[in-house]
Amino acid sequence: MKKIGSLFGVLLVTITVFAQGNQNRGQRSGGGSNGPGGEGRLYGRIVDGKNSKGVEAASVRLFMIVKDAAGAPKDSLVGGMLSQPNGDFSVEGLSTAAKFRLTISAIGYKPIDQQVAFNRKAGNETDLGNIKMDQDAATLDVVTVTGTKPALQMGIDRKFFDVDKSLTAAGGTGIDVMKNIPSVNVDVDGNVTLRNSTPQIFVDGRPTILTLDQIPADNIERVELITNPSAKFDAASTGGVINVILKKNKKLGLNGLASIGAGYPDILNGNLSINLRQNKFNFFVSGNYNQNGGIAKSKSYRENKKAGEIQNYFNQESEADRLRKFGSVRFGVDYFMDNRNTFTLSQNIVSGNDRNDETQQQRYTNLSHDLTQYGDRLANGSNNFNRYNTQFLYKHKFSEAGKELSADISYNTGGGNSGSLITNHYFNPDGTVASPTNVVRNDGSDDNDQVTVQVDFIDPKGDHSKFEAGVRSFINNYRSTYNAYSVANGTETKLSLSNNYKYREMVNAAYGTYSNKVGEFTYQVGLRAEISKFDGELIDSAKKFGYSYPEKLDNIFDALFPSLFITKSISESEDIQVNYTRRIRRPNFWQMNPFVDINDPLNLRQGNPGLKPEFTNSFEFNYNKNYGTGSFLGVIYYRNTQGEITQYSDTISDAQYQQLNNAAVDPNAILNTFINANNENVWGSELTLQQKIGKNFDFTPTVSLQYMKVNARMDKLDLSNEGFNWEAKLIANYRINSKTKLLNKLSLQAIGEYESPEVLPQGKRKDQYSVDAALRKDFLKGNKGTLTFSVNDVFNSRRWGTIYDTESFYQDSYRRRNVRSFRVTFTYKFGKADFNLFKRKGNNDGGGFEEGGDRG
């Protein structure tokens, strides 16, 4: 809390400086958002043509080029100001799809009158550079821009998903957002996979200790999807990168958004986001509360074998009543020192708790299916967590368009506590007690802190070439304590599965990429070097483990990760791309932690501290075609992974059972852990179509095909397996434009998904399907009000099932985390562009919007 108090102090000082500096001139700009496209900003610096010094108080006026009723072109004034002492000017709230006429006049200088537009590569902000005022004034080239952005876009090495277009995720969490993105899947535990591999999750481009279900969907602006990351990105992204970009409004004046929602089962959500943009400062703050619950069912059918012959059977059915709550507060400030330099300080706080009450019914039968024993298991668990993120960013934009230097420090810290009480009863077929009641109590805690320091430099060389370089240091410290006790006659006995565990992970990296264009080909080459070290320790036993890459100079290639992207433009709307990258996947905490999870007495889980990182060579071929009513993206890929981290399951040995005695586990329980396979080869294809039919209907189908071959051995046991799997996802949107007030501005969205069975080293994952649907109504003046009704998992069919078939057991099971839910969310947008927190009566600083009318 001292860190939070210090941060509040910094913000208070910043606000005081802002109030004292409100006499700064030339910061206000007027603007409109007439025409299609999003809102953006044009800025630059006016300098003397001879000495390059800034020209103060030059009159800057920006006109949007429009057409009158007769179709004749005319100019409409949308912004203006007087340049600052250093020559800076900025006009905001502009349509990025429009063209403009810029006029500049100053005493003693020749007037400038030129046409300008947004740079397609620069996004929503375009730097017009240094504009010289003299007899030889240069005219900036006109740049074409694109119109309204679709929900899914493709770049040279990534795809973008606009979360605002996801109706079914309104009021939910980041997990709900991921379910709606093509190529992305979410399993029963909320784990995200991309093409059946685990991606690295970033928030605002940096590592995080937050999980996706701890991020409100209403706080997410967009998601970046990078299936084959270039050398610019963390090498530990074998499964790709998913970058969650949080919302941060920078509109002038006071603006905000408020939402409230409720639903079944046990759903409550609320959100309030406010930003204040005045002069050189932009303050932003948001608060969120999210709650969800439900009773989820699971089932397992087991055949216990010996040398492949069935010995007996076991069935288990479970019901888990789960309630999860969390709240978050995010605040910060942007300081625009001038048009070239920006500082940002932000703080994010998340706190929550989770309650889970589970009942299991168990039946043991012999080879003839006669009941030999039955029982029940009651598990009452809870945990709480706190997460803090502090981030400081600095960005410098040079006068050359696109050239910039950025540096930032991100600090994540947090911890939590957990506990559970497990009670087991066993009965004979006649109802008499088979064995004494078994009670196990456990408690645990964890602490985590991460520091990331990064510096990036971008330097465009002409119209097509660009050089990028950067350095990054990441340090991650984690400590976990887990205590388990057998409770009998009021006495607790500590069990051997208790553990005290800590680790320190450090990754230092540097990268460089260069891109250019030769004829119709655009290429990007890159190289990343990473030195990584992992030191883990079981504190009670002083046992140490970990890895260091490269271990010695002879293994330097273990630290190098090249990338190559080549794109050929067939036409302005059609291109093809091939790319190659080498990546590393380091085992995470849960995969290495030797702690034995006994929450399910039939299926135990344990990490493997002896795991080593895996290395992947990935190849892709992309074909992208844009046409009048939509676009098509086709991908063919191949991945070869050495040392693939994969799951391994087997029944516990007699020695392991004795070690876990009094922990209420089944003597034929399966122990699920992780091993390094020899290698894995994956061939796949991904086809995505965006199609618009008429003005109101659009749909996006995605089909993924994959063939996987795993080569793995455990001692003398061959675990190799191979097979084909496929999946399909369809997103459909329909908007009603009607003269009937009730139906007008009504939007409908439906999302359906199917995943076929998928091979595992010892079995397969069962197929699954789900459907989500939502209805949204926009109303009030300027569509400021929105009412959304959504149903997640319409047919209550979303569940995760597996089949394992080995010499010692056969098991068919499924689990669920969430159930069908209904949610109603109301959202209201508000704002006042001329709001001034420190407004002074009768004060005119000379930097305001210049009045004027249309010019024909």
Side-chain angles (χ1 to χ4, degrees):
M1 295 304 295
K2 291 181 179 179
K3 298 171 184 174
I4 306 302
S6 301
L7 187 57
F8 273 113
V10 172
L11 290 177
L12 183 60
V13 172
T14 305
I15 294 174
T16 304
V17 172
F18 167 53
Q20 294 174 347
N22 195 46
Q23 295 181 353
N24 291 336
R25 303 189 174 205
Q27 280 299 115
R28 292 182 313 188
S29 65
S33 56
N34 304 314
E39 290 190 347
R41 178 170 78 111
L42 292 174
Y43 63 95
R45 177 172 294 176
I46 304 169
V47 299
D48 186 287
K50 293 183 178 180
N51 55 30
S52 296
K53 292 183 178 180
V55 177
E56 182 179 4
S59 176
V60 180
R61 294 159 64 90
L62 192 68
F63 300 87
M64 186 168 69
I65 302 174
V66 296
K67 294 183 179 180
D68 60 19
K74 69 174 184 177
D75 295 342
S76 176
L77 182 64
V78 292
M81 63 177 293
L82 297 179
S83 62
Q84 298 182 43
N86 64 351
D88 279 355
F89 70 92
S90 175
V91 184
E92 302 187 5
L94 304 173
S95 169
T96 58
K99 293 183 178 181
F100 303 91
R101 190 167 65 85
L102 175 69
T103 67
I104 304 174
S105 61
I107 298 176
Y109 293 94
K110 181 180 179 179
I112 293 177
D113 190 331
Q114 63 189 37
Q115 192 178 103
V116 297
F118 282 87
N119 188 326
R120 179 184 301 176
K121 298 180 180 179
N124 291 340
E125 293 191 355
T126 294
D127 187 349
L128 300 179
N130 290 340
I131 302 177
K132 297 180 179 180
M133 295 195 72
D134 54 21
Q135 295 296 323
D136 299 322
T139 302
L140 293 179
D141 293 332
V142 177
V143 181
T144 58
V145 297
T146 58
T148 303
K149 295 185 292 185
L152 188 68
Q153 293 181 292
M154 177 187 171
I156 188 172
D157 60 353
R158 70 188 74 187
K159 304 176 183 69
F160 302 90
F161 181 78
D162 186 354
V163 176
D164 186 57
K165 292 179 171 58
S166 177
L167 277 60
T168 59
T173 67
I175 291 294
D176 299 301
V177 173
M178 296 301 153
K179 294 175 184 176
N180 301 334
I181 302 178
S183 308
V184 176
N185 298 315
V186 181
D187 71 12
V188 66
D189 294 316
N191 299 312
V192 173
T193 58
L194 181 60
R195 296 178 180 170
N196 293 324
S197 295
T198 303
Q200 192 163 36
I201 307 295
F202 288 146
V203 174
D204 288 333
R206 299 296 177 262
T208 180
I209 59 175
L210 290 173
T211 58
L212 287 170
D213 58 358
Q214 294 170 358
I215 304 176
D218 294 337
N219 284 359
I220 301 175
E221 178 180 339
R222 70 180 186 275
V223 175
E224 296 180 351
L225 199 65
I226 310 171
T227 56
N228 201 16
S230 68
K232 182 177 180 178
F233 297 92
D234 191 346
S237 51
T238 300
V241 169
I242 294 179
N243 187 23
V244 177
I245 307 297
L246 301 180
K247 292 179 179 177
K248 189 172 67 173
N249 201 334
K250 292 186 179 181
K251 292 181 180 179
L252 286 175
L254 179 68
N255 297 276
L257 181 147
S259 67
I260 186 170
Y264 175 84
D266 299 317
I267 292 177
L268 287 173
N269 62 275
N271 182 73
L272 176 63
S273 301
I274 299 174
N275 87 285
L276 174 64
R277 173 73 184 273
Q278 289 185 320
N279 292 347
K280 294 188 175 184
F281 291 89
N282 178 58
F283 299 97
F284 53 91
V285 62
S286 65
N288 180 279
Y289 176 79
N290 194 288
Q291 171 185 305
N292 62 79
I295 299 176
K297 297 182 179 181
S298 303
K299 183 180 290 188
S300 294
Y301 166 78
R302 167 85 67 80
E303 298 174 356
N304 295 312
K305 300 179 183 180
K306 186 175 182 180
E309 296 293 329
I310 298 176
Q311 304 296 306
N312 50 59
Y313 303 93
F314 178 88
N315 292 308
Q316 176 177 286
E317 295 184 2
S318 305
E319 282 192 359
D321 186 357
R322 180 174 176 268
L323 182 64
R324 183 178 181 84
K325 305 175 182 178
F326 76 92
S328 64
V329 176
R330 181 171 178 261
F331 56 90
V333 58
D334 298 306
Y335 171 57
F336 307 99
M337 187 172 72
D338 52 38
N339 281 346
R340 311 280 189 232
N341 298 280
T342 302
F343 299 87
T344 298
L345 179 67
S346 65
Q347 176 70 43
N348 193 18
I349 305 170
V350 180
S351 180
N353 60 77
D354 192 336
R355 174 186 59 79
N356 189 71
D357 298 323
E358 184 174 12
T359 302
Q360 296 177 355
Q361 302 295 332
Q362 304 163 348
R363 288 177 58 86
Y364 299 82
T365 60
N366 60 22
L367 194 58
S368 301
H369 295 285
D370 297 322
L371 183 66
T372 58
Q373 184 175 292
Y374 70 94
D376 62 63
R377 179 183 179 93
L378 308 176
N380 305 110
S382 64
N383 68 77
N384 61 78
F385 61 88
N386 296 285
R387 303 285 186 264
Y388 307 92
N389 168 259
T390 305
Q391 196 170 48
F392 176 77
L393 303 95
Y394 166 71
K395 179 177 286 188
H396 173 74
K397 295 185 177 181
F398 297 85
S399 59
E400 298 93 329
K403 185 177 181 179
E404 64 181 45
L405 174 71
S406 61
D408 62 79
I409 300 175
S410 181
Y411 176 66
N412 294 292
T413 186
N417 298 284
S418 63
S420 69
L421 184 66
I422 303 172
T423 306
N424 297 270
H425 304 96
Y426 298 102
F427 305 93
N428 295 312
D430 60 2
T432 59
V433 176
S435 60
T437 299
N438 186 295
V439 180
V440 175
R441 184 186 71 83
N442 63 62
D443 60 65
S445 63
D446 64 271
D447 293 289
N448 190 198
D449 64 80
Q450 297 177 348
V451 177
T452 305
V453 180
Q454 184 160 331
V455 178
D456 298 287
F457 175 69
I458 302 175
D459 186 13
K461 302 289 186 180
D463 294 334
H464 304 295
S465 65
K466 181 169 63 175
F467 172 72
E468 297 183 64
V471 294
R472 177 178 179 267
S473 181
F474 172 72
I475 300 174
N476 183 24
N477 294 298
Y478 188 93
R479 178 160 184 165
S480 174
T481 301
Y482 177 82
N483 299 304
Y485 304 90
S486 175
V487 183
N489 301 320
T491 302
E492 291 188 344
T493 303
K494 192 171 184 178
L495 300 176
S496 59
L497 57 85
S498 303
N499 74 77
N500 192 358
Y501 173 90
K502 70 175 182 179
Y503 72 78
R504 178 183 177 87
E505 180 184 16
M506 181 177 65
V507 181
N508 294 315
Y511 75 90
T513 67
Y514 177 76
S515 59
N516 205 342
K517 185 175 183 180
V518 179
E520 297 179 342
F521 291 90
T522 300
Y523 66 88
Q524 180 195 82
V525 294
L527 180 64
R528 186 179 187 91
E530 286 194 353
I531 299 175
S532 58
K533 186 176 178 60
F534 184 99
D535 294 314
E537 180 181 358
L538 295 174
I539 298 176
D540 294 336
S541 63
K543 180 180 179 180
K544 297 183 179 181
F545 54 91
Y547 55 81
S548 179
Y549 281 88
E551 293 181 313
K552 51 187 178 180
L553 191 60
D554 293 343
N555 305 117
I556 190 64
F557 188 66
D558 288 341
L560 300 179
F561 304 94
S563 67
L564 173 65
F565 292 76
I566 301 175
T567 303
K568 182 182 187 302
S569 296
I570 300 174
S571 66
E572 290 186 1
S573 60
E574 187 176 14
D575 53 43
I576 57 175
Q577 178 193 90
V578 293
N579 59 58
Y580 160 78
T581 66
R582 182 176 187 266
R583 320 301 295 175
I584 184 175
R585 178 189 174 200
R586 303 177 180 95
N588 62 33
F589 162 70
W590 292 110
Q591 292 170 334
M592 298 186 70
N593 187 358
F595 152 67
V596 180
D597 182 352
I598 62 170
N599 282 327
D600 185 341
L602 189 67
N603 296 282
L604 312 181
R605 300 181 184 183
Q606 183 182 31
N608 177 6
L611 282 179
K612 299 296 183 182
E614 64 181 36
F615 293 89
T616 298
N617 292 288
S618 182
F619 301 83
E620 276 190 8
F621 171 81
N622 300 322
Y623 170 76
N624 188 40
K625 169 70 175 179
N626 295 300
Y627 50 94
T629 58
S631 62
F632 170 76
L633 173 63
V635 181
I636 299 174
Y637 61 89
Y638 167 71
R639 291 198 305 260
N640 171 264
T641 301
Q642 299 296 318
E644 162 78 8
I645 298 173
T646 189
Q647 186 170 310
Y648 168 71
S649 303
D650 197 6
T651 52
I652 58 175
S653 64
D654 292 338
Q656 289 172 322
Y657 178 68
Q658 290 300 321
Q659 184 182 8
L660 297 172
N661 195 20
N662 296 322
V665 300
D666 188 272
N668 294 310
I670 295 174
L671 181 61
N672 301 282
T673 187
F674 298 90
I675 63 172
N676 286 108
N678 296 341
N679 59 72
E680 179 188 68
N681 291 284
V682 177
W683 299 263
S685 179
E686 195 173 79
L687 310 174
T688 303
L689 175 71
Q690 288 183 316
Q691 181 63 52
K692 188 173 184 179
I693 300 177
K695 295 182 179 180
N696 302 324
F697 179 66
D698 68 84
F699 64 95
T700 304
T702 300
V703 177
S704 298
L705 313 170
Q706 189 177 87
Y707 185 84
M708 180 187 303
K709 184 175 182 179
V710 181
N711 298 309
R713 298 188 68 87
M714 183 64 180
D715 297 327
K716 296 182 179 180
L717 183 63
D718 188 359
L719 306 176
S720 301
N721 202 354
E722 60 184 292
F724 171 79
N725 65 85
W726 67 279
E727 61 186 63
K729 183 178 290 188
L730 176 64
I731 303 174
N733 299 280
Y734 184 73
R735 183 175 178 84
I736 300 175
N737 292 318
S738 172
K739 294 182 179 180
T740 304
K741 190 173 182 180
L742 181 63
L743 297 178
N744 192 37
K745 298 179 182 179
L746 192 66
S747 301
L748 299 91
Q749 183 178 78
I751 300 174
E753 181 180 15
Y754 172 79
E755 297 178 41
S756 77
E758 176 191 338
V759 297
L760 300 171
Q762 294 172 281
K764 66 177 181 179
R765 178 182 57 77
K766 300 169 71 174
D767 64 338
Q768 60 178 328
Y769 72 94
S770 62
V771 175
D772 298 335
L775 182 69
R776 182 170 73 183
K777 169 69 175 177
D778 296 328
F779 58 99
L780 300 181
K781 185 178 180 180
N783 296 330
K784 290 184 176 181
T786 299
L787 188 66
T788 304
F789 172 71
S790 62
V791 183
N792 283 313
D793 199 5
V794 174
F795 301 107
N796 208 29
S797 59
R798 185 177 284 131
R799 61 188 189 182
W800 193 81
T802 57
I803 294 177
Y804 291 104
D805 192 358
T806 72
E807 285 290 305
S808 57
F809 71 92
Y810 170 90
Q811 178 173 291
D812 185 343
S813 64
Y814 75 82
R815 294 188 297 130
R816 303 192 64 175
R817 177 183 174 93
N818 296 310
V819 296
R820 176 172 48 208
S821 62
F822 306 85
R823 180 187 286 114
V824 177
T825 303
F826 171 71
T827 303
Y828 179 74
K829 303 173 185 176
F830 57 91
K832 188 176 182 182
D834 59 353
F835 179 86
N836 194 328
L837 184 63
F838 306 103
K839 189 173 183 179
R840 299 183 180 183
K841 294 183 179 180
N843 178 42
N844 185 355
D845 59 14
F849 176 79
E850 292 190 0
E851 296 182 358
D854 291 348
R855 290 181 54 179

